[in-house]
Amino acid sequence: SADGRSFERQGEPLFSSHMLDLSEEPLEENIEICTKYLERMAKMNLGLEMELGITGGEEDGVNNENAKPEDLYSKPEEIWQVYEALSKIPDANFTIAAAFGNVHGVYSPGNVKLDPEILGNSQKYIAAKLGLPAGSKPVKFVFHGGSGSDIKDIRQA
């Protein structure tokens, strides 16, 4: 890979992170592939952004405008599966783009129904699984598809 060659020559990768969008794949396959990539990437101090769940709307020829509403919202248990698998990798640096009603594309304000509580509940769920104190935020989330979102929801997310 270009990152690998750069790391061999200069001691650092060409990029600082990569996004891997396998959200259309079954969860287990998504996690398995992301784990394989992150095992290689962590050795070069590269971050991985992993997409989980379906982001509504249309992007890059993938149209999720007619997705089932329940598929637009990640579940804490799914986020835990990702966190548990990826955090086992030594020196792992990763973020999770979880679905919480966010959509790709340009939408008028008020047409997007975010549920940022999903992210907060997931933090609580995973913190409890890890035995961390209340208020801990072990997961690093990244937000995709913010167009048309209410500013209150963005702040809460």
Side-chain angles (χ1 to χ4, degrees):
S1 72
D3 281 309
R5 289 188 299 276
S6 176
F7 190 79
E8 286 174 15
R9 285 193 311 267
Q10 301 167 21
E12 61 182 48
L14 189 57
F15 298 97
S16 59
S17 67
H18 292 283
M19 180 188 78
L20 191 55
D21 183 359
L22 298 170
S23 58
E24 296 288 322
E25 306 303 327
L27 178 61
E28 292 75 20
E29 184 178 345
N30 189 348
I31 292 171
E32 181 182 329
I33 293 170
C34 284
T35 298
K36 288 179 182 175
Y37 273 86
L38 189 56
E39 285 171 345
R40 290 177 47 206
M41 294 168 68
K43 294 173 185 169
M44 294 181 279
N45 196 29
L46 268 166
L48 172 72
E49 179 183 313
M50 188 265 200
E51 284 206 38
L52 173 65
I54 294 175
T55 300
E58 188 275 329
E59 180 186 49
D60 298 332
V62 176
N63 188 336
N64 290 321
E65 291 176 324
N66 296 318
K68 291 184 272 178
E70 64 269 19
D71 291 340
L72 298 176
Y73 300 93
S74 297
K75 292 152 195 66
E77 297 82 6
E78 295 169 334
I79 297 169
W80 164 245
Q81 284 181 265
V82 172
Y83 182 89
E84 183 180 37
L86 298 184
S87 63
K88 289 178 182 175
I89 298 168
D91 302 316
N93 177 18
F94 63 92
T95 57
I96 300 173
F100 62 107
N102 37 325
V103 296
H104 286 165
V106 179
Y107 294 85
S108 300
N111 288 328
V112 176
K113 292 174 180 48
L114 294 182
D115 186 1
E117 281 298 311
I118 288 172
L119 305 180
N121 290 338
S122 296
Q123 294 285 22
K124 290 174 191 171
Y125 181 85
I126 293 169
K129 286 278 200 186
L130 297 172
L132 298 174
S136 296
K137 294 181 180 176
V139 182
K140 292 188 273 183
F141 286 114
V142 63
F143 180 15
H144 284 209
S147 298
S149 302
D150 188 294
I151 192 68
K152 292 185 324 235
D153 290 335
I154 291 173
R155 286 188 176 119
Q156 184 179 0

